[in-house]
Amino acid sequence: MRLNFTALLIFIISTSCVSPEKNLPNIIFIMSDDHAYQAISAYGHGLNETPNIDRIASEGALFNNAFVTNSICAPSRAVMLTGKHSFINGKVDNIQDFNWDQDNFAKQLQKIGYQTAMVGKIHLRGLPQGFNYSAVLPGQGHYYNPDFIINGIKERINGYVTSITTDLAINWLKNKRKKDSPFLLLYHQKAPHRNWKPEKKYFNLFDDKTFSLPQNFFDNYENRGTAAKTQEMLIAASEEQINSAHGNGGHARWGHDFKMITDPYGKRTGFEDELKRYTPKQREEWLKAYTPKNIDMKTKNLKGDSLALWKFNRYIKDYLRTIQSVDDGVGEILDYLDNEGLEENTIVIYTSDQGFYLGEHGWFDKRFMYEESLRTPLIMKYPKEIKPGIKIDQMIQNLDFAPTLLDYANISPSEEIQGLSFRNIVNQDQSNWRDAIYYTYYEYPSVHMVKRHYGIRTDRYKLIHFYYDIDEWELYDLKKDPSEMNNLYNDPKHKSIQKSLHKKLTELRKYYGDSDSLNKFHINSYLSKMNN
Ligand code: SGN
Ligand code: CA
């Protein structure tokens, strides 16, 4: 009897001492790599169907104006973790080191008792800090039979990267976290990053379909500056353009991108080497699916516009096929939450590290401050707070993720954090919000040759300054010219808007702590890294 009383007492004490963290929301932050908003059906572009990602939108909020601060992978992830612009957190391009010792929102959540995990692509060298569990791809990772660094130890896992990433994430949710604490899972897919290798079940998806070219696919960059004219990210470049590109990674190529073992002129492309990583069975299945399509292409002896159409279709189909597996993974995660009764108290965010060109201006890749790569998809649900099916038009940036997620965990952001919590925006009870966003891009000279630039975007206008080996300004009216085909910078009719945008840009640079001297510093450290 006495023993039972003691047990009862212990039970009462232990339950009344349950930390307040118990009621805090769980967070699943899903980030894919290079997933353009144009390729999510909830955004209504009609390219593909992503029913599982769309489920997040129908149960929550879809952001029409979500942007990055620097449209490239590793910097974007550093901004997301720290809530600070690239020039403050130090990770300005894919080349510089990231300092994991600085604060990040996962560290803060971990401190108050969250179980934290990072699974998939992060692209920041070093052991991730702030996580109880990490299983990350080294660098870009591989689509087939990828290596993973699991809590610091490298191991190769056979299979397809997207499914493996999902399995590792679900395994952590099911078996590895302490179930009496709230959790944070960063679930980051490598797909649909170049070179868009699909999973077997989607090898033939879209085979019977021809995607039409975006209206500005054959852009000649008239009325634009030097930067747009000298980029190296064409889907349908000529042989001369391909061969004269900086390094060898620029414009789309017959082997790496179009996955031909020999080009239409019979020359070996080197793609065969990529298949060496596959198991014999994977190789056989791949060749069985792709060889007939490649032969068919060659027999048609395509030229000019019809060759461009073929290249675009090979590109977009493989790109969309890899997204299908990403969408499947999202479905598995959502089903897990539903089955465990966790959906009500879990925030689910779907986003990408930036946007991507799906043939607009003739391009793939990102980097530019133009709309397709400045934008990123952002969809979010949290049944406890967010009304299902709402659309958000305010300008959100990836800078805002850290403060927003800290806000949901009732943690005030530190002074250092530059983003804003959009919790009240999603709850539709805040009218005061930023009226302009600030952007920087640094990685040049490099693959794709997109020149260094910075600029601001308001809800209607965009002002960009390209610098370093040029000094050019561009101004776009996004209302009249949403595809940014006409630079108005020298247009006398736009003198007064130009002046007010310059003023705003100067103010924002000062506010965030950016300057020309910081740009010089980053040029020097980039060049010294490249020369070593
Ligand atoms: C690789 C790609 C590029 C891509 C960069 C950066 N080439 O170099 O096309 O722009 O990564 O991408 S590939 O031949 O390796 O596929 S990022 O998303 O990691 O920033
Ligand atoms: Ca990316």
mmCIF file of all heavy atoms in Angstrom, residues 33-34 71-77 93-94 121 123 139-140 143 190 193-196 232-233 248-250 253 256-257 274 353-354 356 364-367 441 443 446-448, ligand 1:
data_model
loop_
_atom_site.group_PDB
_atom_site.id
_atom_site.type_symbol
_atom_site.label_atom_id
_atom_site.label_comp_id
_atom_site.label_asym_id
_atom_site.label_seq_id
_atom_site.Cartn_x
_atom_site.Cartn_y
_atom_site.Cartn_z
ATOM 1 N N ASP A 33 15.880 20.920 -53.719
ATOM 2 C CA ASP A 33 16.978 21.668 -54.312
ATOM 3 C C ASP A 33 16.621 22.074 -55.735
ATOM 4 O O ASP A 33 16.454 21.211 -56.604
ATOM 5 C CB ASP A 33 18.221 20.756 -54.313
ATOM 6 C CG ASP A 33 19.493 21.534 -54.549
ATOM 7 O OD1 ASP A 33 19.397 22.715 -54.908
ATOM 8 O OD2 ASP A 33 20.574 20.952 -54.379
ATOM 9 N N ASP A 34 16.463 23.365 -55.977
ATOM 10 C CA ASP A 34 16.156 23.867 -57.327
ATOM 11 C C ASP A 34 14.716 23.576 -57.773
ATOM 12 O O ASP A 34 14.449 23.475 -58.982
ATOM 13 C CB ASP A 34 17.116 23.273 -58.395
ATOM 14 C CG ASP A 34 18.566 23.680 -58.208
ATOM 15 O OD1 ASP A 34 18.849 24.516 -57.349
ATOM 16 O OD2 ASP A 34 19.425 23.145 -58.955
ATOM 17 N N SER A 71 20.379 33.588 -54.747
ATOM 18 C CA SER A 71 19.786 32.422 -55.396
ATOM 19 C C SER A 71 20.807 31.343 -55.745
ATOM 20 O O SER A 71 21.085 31.081 -56.914
ATOM 21 C CB SER A 71 19.043 32.880 -56.659
ATOM 22 O OG SER A 71 18.395 31.786 -57.249
ATOM 23 N N ILE A 72 21.339 30.729 -54.718
ATOM 24 C CA ILE A 72 22.262 29.620 -54.921
ATOM 25 C C ILE A 72 22.274 28.789 -53.646
ATOM 26 O O ILE A 72 21.969 29.281 -52.559
ATOM 27 C CB ILE A 72 23.655 30.129 -55.354
ATOM 28 C CG1 ILE A 72 24.577 28.977 -55.716
ATOM 29 C CG2 ILE A 72 24.268 31.045 -54.309
ATOM 30 C CD1 ILE A 72 25.657 29.335 -56.698
ATOM 31 N N CYS A 73 22.641 27.517 -53.835
ATOM 32 C CA CYS A 73 22.344 26.504 -52.828
ATOM 33 C C CYS A 73 22.872 26.736 -51.417
ATOM 34 O O CYS A 73 22.118 27.001 -50.478
ATOM 35 C CB CYS A 73 22.881 25.183 -53.354
ATOM 36 S SG CYS A 73 22.506 23.800 -52.345
ATOM 37 N N ALA A 74 24.194 26.596 -51.250
ATOM 38 C CA ALA A 74 24.746 26.637 -49.895
ATOM 39 C C ALA A 74 24.462 27.973 -49.196
ATOM 40 O O ALA A 74 24.050 27.982 -48.030
ATOM 41 C CB ALA A 74 26.238 26.320 -49.935
ATOM 42 N N PRO A 75 24.634 29.109 -49.895
ATOM 43 C CA PRO A 75 24.286 30.375 -49.249
ATOM 44 C C PRO A 75 22.827 30.423 -48.790
ATOM 45 O O PRO A 75 22.522 30.924 -47.698
ATOM 46 C CB PRO A 75 24.559 31.411 -50.343
ATOM 47 C CG PRO A 75 25.655 30.801 -51.148
ATOM 48 C CD PRO A 75 25.322 29.330 -51.194
ATOM 49 N N SER A 76 21.932 29.898 -49.612
ATOM 50 C CA SER A 76 20.516 29.926 -49.239
ATOM 51 C C SER A 76 20.273 29.145 -47.952
ATOM 52 O O SER A 76 19.504 29.550 -47.075
ATOM 53 C CB SER A 76 19.696 29.349 -50.388
ATOM 54 O OG SER A 76 18.416 29.024 -49.939
ATOM 55 N N ARG A 77 20.966 28.026 -47.824
ATOM 56 C CA ARG A 77 20.789 27.194 -46.624
ATOM 57 C C ARG A 77 21.373 27.884 -45.386
ATOM 58 O O ARG A 77 20.836 27.787 -44.276
ATOM 59 C CB ARG A 77 21.421 25.822 -46.848
ATOM 60 C CG ARG A 77 20.601 25.031 -47.864
ATOM 61 C CD ARG A 77 21.433 24.031 -48.628
ATOM 62 N NE ARG A 77 20.773 23.700 -49.877
ATOM 63 C CZ ARG A 77 19.871 22.743 -50.022
ATOM 64 N NH1 ARG A 77 19.534 21.980 -49.006
ATOM 65 N NH2 ARG A 77 19.301 22.529 -51.189
ATOM 66 N N ASP A 93 28.895 32.365 -51.201
ATOM 67 C CA ASP A 93 28.825 31.559 -52.429
ATOM 68 C C ASP A 93 29.050 30.088 -52.063
ATOM 69 O O ASP A 93 29.283 29.774 -50.894
ATOM 70 C CB ASP A 93 29.866 32.046 -53.457
ATOM 71 C CG ASP A 93 31.262 32.106 -52.858
ATOM 72 O OD1 ASP A 93 31.655 31.146 -52.168
ATOM 73 O OD2 ASP A 93 31.964 33.114 -53.063
ATOM 74 N N ASN A 94 28.996 29.229 -53.072
ATOM 75 C CA ASN A 94 29.162 27.793 -52.771
ATOM 76 C C ASN A 94 30.601 27.444 -52.380
ATOM 77 O O ASN A 94 30.863 26.330 -51.938
ATOM 78 C CB ASN A 94 28.759 26.950 -53.992
ATOM 79 C CG ASN A 94 27.249 26.738 -54.070
ATOM 80 O OD1 ASN A 94 26.537 26.960 -53.091
ATOM 81 N ND2 ASN A 94 26.761 26.311 -55.229
ATOM 82 N N LYS A 121 20.230 16.855 -48.173
ATOM 83 C CA LYS A 121 21.253 17.779 -48.682
ATOM 84 C C LYS A 121 21.346 19.044 -47.825
ATOM 85 O O LYS A 121 20.333 19.666 -47.512
ATOM 86 C CB LYS A 121 20.937 18.182 -50.129
ATOM 87 C CG LYS A 121 22.041 19.077 -50.692
ATOM 88 C CD LYS A 121 21.909 19.308 -52.188
ATOM 89 C CE LYS A 121 22.972 20.320 -52.644
ATOM 90 N NZ LYS A 121 22.854 20.715 -54.037
ATOM 91 N N HIS A 123 24.782 20.825 -48.056
ATOM 92 C CA HIS A 123 25.793 21.508 -48.883
ATOM 93 C C HIS A 123 26.677 22.469 -48.083
ATOM 94 O O HIS A 123 27.258 23.392 -48.639
ATOM 95 C CB HIS A 123 25.089 22.268 -50.022
ATOM 96 C CG HIS A 123 25.936 22.473 -51.245
ATOM 97 N ND1 HIS A 123 25.445 22.940 -52.422
ATOM 98 C CD2 HIS A 123 27.254 22.282 -51.460
ATOM 99 C CE1 HIS A 123 26.410 23.040 -53.317
ATOM 100 N NE2 HIS A 123 27.532 22.638 -52.751
ATOM 101 N N GLY A 139 28.506 17.323 -49.992
ATOM 102 C CA GLY A 139 28.399 18.217 -51.158
ATOM 103 C C GLY A 139 27.069 18.081 -51.870
ATOM 104 O O GLY A 139 26.006 18.142 -51.251
ATOM 105 N N GLN A 140 27.144 17.875 -53.186
ATOM 106 C CA GLN A 140 25.923 17.758 -53.991
ATOM 107 C C GLN A 140 25.233 16.413 -53.809
ATOM 108 O O GLN A 140 24.034 16.303 -54.028
ATOM 109 C CB GLN A 140 26.262 17.906 -55.483
ATOM 110 C CG GLN A 140 26.831 19.253 -55.882
ATOM 111 C CD GLN A 140 25.757 20.309 -55.930
ATOM 112 O OE1 GLN A 140 24.610 20.066 -55.537
ATOM 113 N NE2 GLN A 140 26.105 21.483 -56.391
ATOM 114 N N TYR A 143 22.575 10.860 -57.186
ATOM 115 C CA TYR A 143 21.202 10.342 -57.307
ATOM 116 C C TYR A 143 21.151 8.840 -57.034
ATOM 117 O O TYR A 143 20.207 8.353 -56.429
ATOM 118 C CB TYR A 143 20.661 10.610 -58.719
ATOM 119 C CG TYR A 143 19.995 11.972 -58.857
ATOM 120 C CD1 TYR A 143 20.618 13.024 -59.522
ATOM 121 C CD2 TYR A 143 18.732 12.188 -58.317
ATOM 122 C CE1 TYR A 143 19.997 14.258 -59.641
ATOM 123 C CE2 TYR A 143 18.100 13.425 -58.439
ATOM 124 C CZ TYR A 143 18.743 14.457 -59.099
ATOM 125 O OH TYR A 143 18.114 15.676 -59.211
ATOM 126 N N LYS A 190 17.758 16.231 -52.389
ATOM 127 C CA LYS A 190 18.725 16.641 -53.433
ATOM 128 C C LYS A 190 17.981 17.012 -54.726
ATOM 129 O O LYS A 190 18.344 17.976 -55.409
ATOM 130 C CB LYS A 190 19.707 15.518 -53.728
ATOM 131 C CG LYS A 190 20.543 15.758 -54.977
ATOM 132 C CD LYS A 190 21.286 14.500 -55.392
ATOM 133 C CE LYS A 190 21.894 14.643 -56.772
ATOM 134 N NZ LYS A 190 22.873 15.734 -56.873
ATOM 135 N N HIS A 193 17.784 18.718 -58.433
ATOM 136 C CA HIS A 193 19.036 19.354 -58.865
ATOM 137 C C HIS A 193 19.576 18.698 -60.147
ATOM 138 O O HIS A 193 19.352 17.511 -60.383
ATOM 139 C CB HIS A 193 20.061 19.248 -57.731
ATOM 140 C CG HIS A 193 21.289 20.076 -57.937
ATOM 141 N ND1 HIS A 193 22.381 19.620 -58.632
ATOM 142 C CD2 HIS A 193 21.582 21.334 -57.543
ATOM 143 C CE1 HIS A 193 23.309 20.571 -58.662
ATOM 144 N NE2 HIS A 193 22.847 21.619 -57.999
ATOM 145 N N ARG A 194 20.313 19.490 -60.926
ATOM 146 C CA ARG A 194 21.027 18.966 -62.089
ATOM 147 C C ARG A 194 21.833 17.722 -61.694
ATOM 148 O O ARG A 194 22.410 17.723 -60.611
ATOM 149 C CB ARG A 194 21.977 20.050 -62.589
ATOM 150 C CG ARG A 194 22.561 19.795 -63.957
ATOM 151 C CD ARG A 194 23.505 20.939 -64.309
ATOM 152 N NE ARG A 194 24.028 20.790 -65.655
ATOM 153 C CZ ARG A 194 25.016 21.557 -66.119
ATOM 154 N NH1 ARG A 194 25.557 22.489 -65.360
ATOM 155 N NH2 ARG A 194 25.445 21.391 -67.354
ATOM 156 N N ASN A 195 21.958 16.635 -62.378
ATOM 157 C CA ASN A 195 21.539 16.481 -63.716
ATOM 158 C C ASN A 195 20.283 15.615 -63.855
ATOM 159 O O ASN A 195 20.165 14.899 -64.849
ATOM 160 C CB ASN A 195 22.671 15.994 -64.622
ATOM 161 C CG ASN A 195 23.232 14.633 -64.168
ATOM 162 O OD1 ASN A 195 23.005 14.155 -63.044
ATOM 163 N ND2 ASN A 195 23.938 13.968 -65.077
ATOM 164 N N TRP A 196 19.336 15.811 -62.912
ATOM 165 C CA TRP A 196 17.966 15.326 -63.084
ATOM 166 C C TRP A 196 17.876 13.855 -63.494
ATOM 167 O O TRP A 196 17.288 13.517 -64.525
ATOM 168 C CB TRP A 196 17.221 16.224 -64.110
ATOM 169 C CG TRP A 196 17.586 17.671 -63.969
ATOM 170 C CD1 TRP A 196 17.284 18.484 -62.907
ATOM 171 C CD2 TRP A 196 18.371 18.473 -64.868
ATOM 172 N NE1 TRP A 196 17.828 19.727 -63.100
ATOM 173 C CE2 TRP A 196 18.485 19.750 -64.291
ATOM 174 C CE3 TRP A 196 18.969 18.244 -66.106
ATOM 175 C CZ2 TRP A 196 19.189 20.800 -64.896
ATOM 176 C CZ3 TRP A 196 19.664 19.285 -66.717
ATOM 177 C CH2 TRP A 196 19.761 20.533 -66.125
ATOM 178 N N GLU A 232 25.976 31.514 -69.139
ATOM 179 C CA GLU A 232 26.166 30.205 -69.793
ATOM 180 C C GLU A 232 25.226 29.187 -69.158
ATOM 181 O O GLU A 232 25.643 28.320 -68.394
ATOM 182 C CB GLU A 232 27.644 29.788 -69.657
ATOM 183 C CG GLU A 232 28.559 30.735 -70.429
ATOM 184 C CD GLU A 232 30.045 30.412 -70.307
ATOM 185 O OE1 GLU A 232 30.397 29.478 -69.540
ATOM 186 O OE2 GLU A 232 30.847 31.101 -70.949
ATOM 187 N N MET A 233 23.961 29.361 -69.425
ATOM 188 C CA MET A 233 22.972 28.435 -68.859
ATOM 189 C C MET A 233 21.844 28.151 -69.853
ATOM 190 O O MET A 233 20.686 28.009 -69.489
ATOM 191 C CB MET A 233 22.437 28.951 -67.522
ATOM 192 C CG MET A 233 22.120 30.420 -67.462
ATOM 193 S SD MET A 233 22.029 30.978 -65.745
ATOM 194 C CE MET A 233 20.262 31.037 -65.572
ATOM 195 N N ASN A 248 33.758 23.508 -67.800
ATOM 196 C CA ASN A 248 33.001 22.628 -68.692
ATOM 197 C C ASN A 248 31.589 22.371 -68.186
ATOM 198 O O ASN A 248 30.920 21.470 -68.618
ATOM 199 C CB ASN A 248 33.742 21.304 -68.917
ATOM 200 C CG ASN A 248 33.928 20.571 -67.612
ATOM 201 O OD1 ASN A 248 33.428 21.025 -66.584
ATOM 202 N ND2 ASN A 248 34.629 19.456 -67.640
ATOM 203 N N GLY A 249 31.142 23.220 -67.269
ATOM 204 C CA GLY A 249 29.837 22.906 -66.666
ATOM 205 C C GLY A 249 28.684 23.774 -67.092
ATOM 206 O O GLY A 249 27.584 23.638 -66.587
ATOM 207 N N GLY A 250 28.918 24.688 -68.056
ATOM 208 C CA GLY A 250 27.911 25.703 -68.354
ATOM 209 C C GLY A 250 26.657 25.221 -69.053
ATOM 210 O O GLY A 250 25.850 24.503 -68.466
ATOM 211 N N ARG A 253 24.592 19.978 -71.885
ATOM 212 C CA ARG A 253 25.451 19.159 -72.761
ATOM 213 C C ARG A 253 24.806 17.812 -73.099
ATOM 214 O O ARG A 253 24.009 17.282 -72.315
ATOM 215 C CB ARG A 253 26.799 18.927 -72.071
ATOM 216 C CG ARG A 253 27.652 20.177 -72.009
ATOM 217 C CD ARG A 253 28.868 19.985 -71.117
ATOM 218 N NE ARG A 253 28.504 19.967 -69.715
ATOM 219 C CZ ARG A 253 29.172 19.304 -68.772
ATOM 220 N NH1 ARG A 253 30.225 18.590 -69.085
ATOM 221 N NH2 ARG A 253 28.778 19.345 -67.508
ATOM 222 N N HIS A 256 26.035 14.782 -69.940
ATOM 223 C CA HIS A 256 25.634 15.085 -68.572
ATOM 224 C C HIS A 256 24.158 15.477 -68.447
ATOM 225 O O HIS A 256 23.450 15.017 -67.555
ATOM 226 C CB HIS A 256 26.528 16.218 -68.071
ATOM 227 C CG HIS A 256 26.393 16.507 -66.616
ATOM 228 N ND1 HIS A 256 26.650 15.561 -65.644
ATOM 229 C CD2 HIS A 256 26.042 17.637 -65.950
ATOM 230 C CE1 HIS A 256 26.458 16.103 -64.456
ATOM 231 N NE2 HIS A 256 26.090 17.349 -64.614
ATOM 232 N N ASP A 257 23.691 16.329 -69.346
ATOM 233 C CA ASP A 257 22.320 16.842 -69.193
ATOM 234 C C ASP A 257 21.278 16.076 -69.995
ATOM 235 O O ASP A 257 20.199 15.804 -69.504
ATOM 236 C CB ASP A 257 22.296 18.326 -69.570
ATOM 237 C CG ASP A 257 23.227 19.118 -68.671
ATOM 238 O OD1 ASP A 257 22.931 19.201 -67.468
ATOM 239 O OD2 ASP A 257 24.272 19.604 -69.155
ATOM 240 N N GLU A 274 29.163 8.067 -65.864
ATOM 241 C CA GLU A 274 28.220 8.330 -64.773
ATOM 242 C C GLU A 274 27.460 7.056 -64.398
ATOM 243 O O GLU A 274 27.036 6.892 -63.255
ATOM 244 C CB GLU A 274 27.225 9.429 -65.157
ATOM 245 C CG GLU A 274 27.882 10.780 -65.311
ATOM 246 C CD GLU A 274 26.884 11.932 -65.344
ATOM 247 O OE1 GLU A 274 25.779 11.813 -64.792
ATOM 248 O OE2 GLU A 274 27.230 12.962 -65.953
ATOM 249 N N ASP A 353 15.565 25.666 -52.075
ATOM 250 C CA ASP A 353 16.660 26.592 -51.743
ATOM 251 C C ASP A 353 16.661 27.808 -52.657
ATOM 252 O O ASP A 353 17.298 28.794 -52.377
ATOM 253 C CB ASP A 353 18.021 25.875 -51.728
ATOM 254 C CG ASP A 353 18.387 25.273 -53.071
ATOM 255 O OD1 ASP A 353 17.503 25.091 -53.920
ATOM 256 O OD2 ASP A 353 19.577 24.968 -53.261
ATOM 257 N N GLN A 354 15.969 27.745 -53.756
ATOM 258 C CA GLN A 354 15.692 28.883 -54.647
ATOM 259 C C GLN A 354 14.811 28.414 -55.776
ATOM 260 O O GLN A 354 14.462 27.240 -55.841
ATOM 261 C CB GLN A 354 16.899 29.588 -55.233
ATOM 262 C CG GLN A 354 18.274 29.020 -55.353
ATOM 263 C CD GLN A 354 18.550 27.681 -55.884
ATOM 264 O OE1 GLN A 354 19.414 27.038 -55.330
ATOM 265 N NE2 GLN A 354 17.881 27.223 -56.930
ATOM 266 N N PHE A 356 14.122 28.324 -60.155
ATOM 267 C CA PHE A 356 14.858 27.714 -61.257
ATOM 268 C C PHE A 356 14.201 28.131 -62.561
ATOM 269 O O PHE A 356 13.001 28.388 -62.602
ATOM 270 C CB PHE A 356 14.795 26.185 -61.120
ATOM 271 C CG PHE A 356 16.024 25.464 -61.618
ATOM 272 C CD1 PHE A 356 17.233 25.609 -60.968
ATOM 273 C CD2 PHE A 356 15.958 24.619 -62.719
ATOM 274 C CE1 PHE A 356 18.377 24.924 -61.406
ATOM 275 C CE2 PHE A 356 17.089 23.926 -63.166
ATOM 276 C CZ PHE A 356 18.303 24.085 -62.494
ATOM 277 N N PHE A 364 18.206 27.099 -68.037
ATOM 278 C CA PHE A 364 18.001 26.341 -66.801
ATOM 279 C C PHE A 364 18.879 27.049 -65.761
ATOM 280 O O PHE A 364 19.373 28.133 -66.008
ATOM 281 C CB PHE A 364 18.371 24.860 -67.006
ATOM 282 C CG PHE A 364 19.829 24.599 -67.253
ATOM 283 C CD1 PHE A 364 20.658 24.180 -66.224
ATOM 284 C CD2 PHE A 364 20.391 24.790 -68.506
ATOM 285 C CE1 PHE A 364 22.012 23.949 -66.446
ATOM 286 C CE2 PHE A 364 21.748 24.571 -68.733
ATOM 287 C CZ PHE A 364 22.560 24.151 -67.699
ATOM 288 N N ASP A 365 19.054 26.445 -64.593
ATOM 289 C CA ASP A 365 19.806 27.043 -63.469
ATOM 290 C C ASP A 365 19.107 28.277 -62.874
ATOM 291 O O ASP A 365 17.894 28.424 -63.032
ATOM 292 C CB ASP A 365 21.279 27.307 -63.822
ATOM 293 C CG ASP A 365 22.172 27.085 -62.587
ATOM 294 O OD1 ASP A 365 22.257 25.939 -62.094
ATOM 295 O OD2 ASP A 365 22.757 28.058 -62.069
ATOM 296 N N LYS A 366 19.856 29.074 -62.122
ATOM 297 C CA LYS A 366 19.246 30.079 -61.229
ATOM 298 C C LYS A 366 20.151 31.305 -61.144
ATOM 299 O O LYS A 366 20.429 31.921 -62.125
ATOM 300 C CB LYS A 366 19.012 29.456 -59.848
ATOM 301 C CG LYS A 366 20.241 28.811 -59.206
ATOM 302 C CD LYS A 366 20.302 27.337 -59.396
ATOM 303 C CE LYS A 366 21.553 26.746 -58.784
ATOM 304 N NZ LYS A 366 21.560 25.294 -58.834
ATOM 305 N N ARG A 367 20.539 31.761 -59.954
ATOM 306 C CA ARG A 367 21.561 32.786 -59.697
ATOM 307 C C ARG A 367 21.104 34.215 -59.930
ATOM 308 O O ARG A 367 21.386 35.091 -59.132
ATOM 309 C CB ARG A 367 22.843 32.492 -60.517
ATOM 310 C CG ARG A 367 23.494 31.177 -60.112
ATOM 311 C CD ARG A 367 24.425 30.645 -61.196
ATOM 312 N NE ARG A 367 24.826 29.270 -60.911
ATOM 313 C CZ ARG A 367 25.957 28.943 -60.307
ATOM 314 N NH1 ARG A 367 26.798 29.852 -59.912
ATOM 315 N NH2 ARG A 367 26.218 27.676 -60.081
ATOM 316 N N TYR A 441 24.173 38.541 -55.000
ATOM 317 C CA TYR A 441 24.701 37.326 -55.637
ATOM 318 C C TYR A 441 26.193 37.531 -55.921
ATOM 319 O O TYR A 441 26.596 38.582 -56.429
ATOM 320 C CB TYR A 441 23.951 37.012 -56.956
ATOM 321 C CG TYR A 441 24.617 35.867 -57.677
ATOM 322 C CD1 TYR A 441 24.414 34.552 -57.258
ATOM 323 C CD2 TYR A 441 25.517 36.089 -58.717
ATOM 324 C CE1 TYR A 441 25.080 33.495 -57.857
ATOM 325 C CE2 TYR A 441 26.186 35.032 -59.327
ATOM 326 C CZ TYR A 441 25.961 33.743 -58.887
ATOM 327 O OH TYR A 441 26.634 32.703 -59.476
ATOM 328 N N GLU A 443 28.732 34.542 -56.849
ATOM 329 C CA GLU A 443 29.621 33.508 -57.396
ATOM 330 C C GLU A 443 29.981 33.740 -58.876
ATOM 331 O O GLU A 443 29.321 33.222 -59.778
ATOM 332 C CB GLU A 443 29.005 32.122 -57.201
ATOM 333 C CG GLU A 443 30.064 31.032 -57.313
ATOM 334 C CD GLU A 443 29.481 29.651 -57.113
ATOM 335 O OE1 GLU A 443 29.182 29.305 -55.964
ATOM 336 O OE2 GLU A 443 29.331 28.924 -58.118
ATOM 337 N N SER A 446 32.413 31.842 -62.582
ATOM 338 C CA SER A 446 32.135 30.474 -62.153
ATOM 339 C C SER A 446 31.237 29.817 -63.191
ATOM 340 O O SER A 446 30.864 30.459 -64.179
ATOM 341 C CB SER A 446 31.429 30.542 -60.803
ATOM 342 O OG SER A 446 31.031 29.265 -60.384
ATOM 343 N N VAL A 447 30.895 28.553 -62.938
ATOM 344 C CA VAL A 447 29.976 27.846 -63.816
ATOM 345 C C VAL A 447 28.716 28.718 -64.046
ATOM 346 O O VAL A 447 28.241 29.361 -63.106
ATOM 347 C CB VAL A 447 29.623 26.468 -63.203
ATOM 348 C CG1 VAL A 447 28.986 26.602 -61.831
ATOM 349 C CG2 VAL A 447 28.707 25.663 -64.106
ATOM 350 N N HIS A 448 28.245 28.769 -65.262
ATOM 351 C CA HIS A 448 27.071 29.523 -65.703
ATOM 352 C C HIS A 448 27.312 31.035 -65.870
ATOM 353 O O HIS A 448 26.470 31.737 -66.412
ATOM 354 C CB HIS A 448 25.840 29.266 -64.823
ATOM 355 C CG HIS A 448 25.453 27.815 -64.766
ATOM 356 N ND1 HIS A 448 25.170 27.090 -65.893
ATOM 357 C CD2 HIS A 448 25.344 26.957 -63.724
ATOM 358 C CE1 HIS A 448 24.885 25.832 -65.537
ATOM 359 N NE2 HIS A 448 24.999 25.732 -64.225
HETATM 360 C C1 SGN B 1 26.777 22.155 -60.015
HETATM 361 C C2 SGN B 1 25.919 22.122 -61.265
HETATM 362 C C3 SGN B 1 25.577 23.541 -61.699
HETATM 363 C C4 SGN B 1 24.930 24.268 -60.547
HETATM 364 C C5 SGN B 1 25.853 24.236 -59.342
HETATM 365 C C6 SGN B 1 25.301 24.902 -58.132
HETATM 366 N N1 SGN B 1 26.596 21.433 -62.320
HETATM 367 O O1 SGN B 1 28.006 22.745 -60.304
HETATM 368 O O2 SGN B 1 24.713 23.481 -62.805
HETATM 369 O O3 SGN B 1 24.651 25.592 -60.884
HETATM 370 O O4 SGN B 1 26.104 22.879 -59.008
HETATM 371 O O5 SGN B 1 24.065 24.368 -57.778
HETATM 372 S S1 SGN B 1 26.647 19.822 -62.272
HETATM 373 O O6 SGN B 1 27.303 19.456 -63.517
HETATM 374 O O7 SGN B 1 27.409 19.407 -61.130
HETATM 375 O O8 SGN B 1 25.328 19.286 -62.213
HETATM 376 S S2 SGN B 1 23.611 24.490 -56.294
HETATM 377 O O9 SGN B 1 22.179 24.226 -56.265
HETATM 378 O O10 SGN B 1 24.318 23.495 -55.543
HETATM 379 O O11 SGN B 1 23.929 25.836 -55.900
#
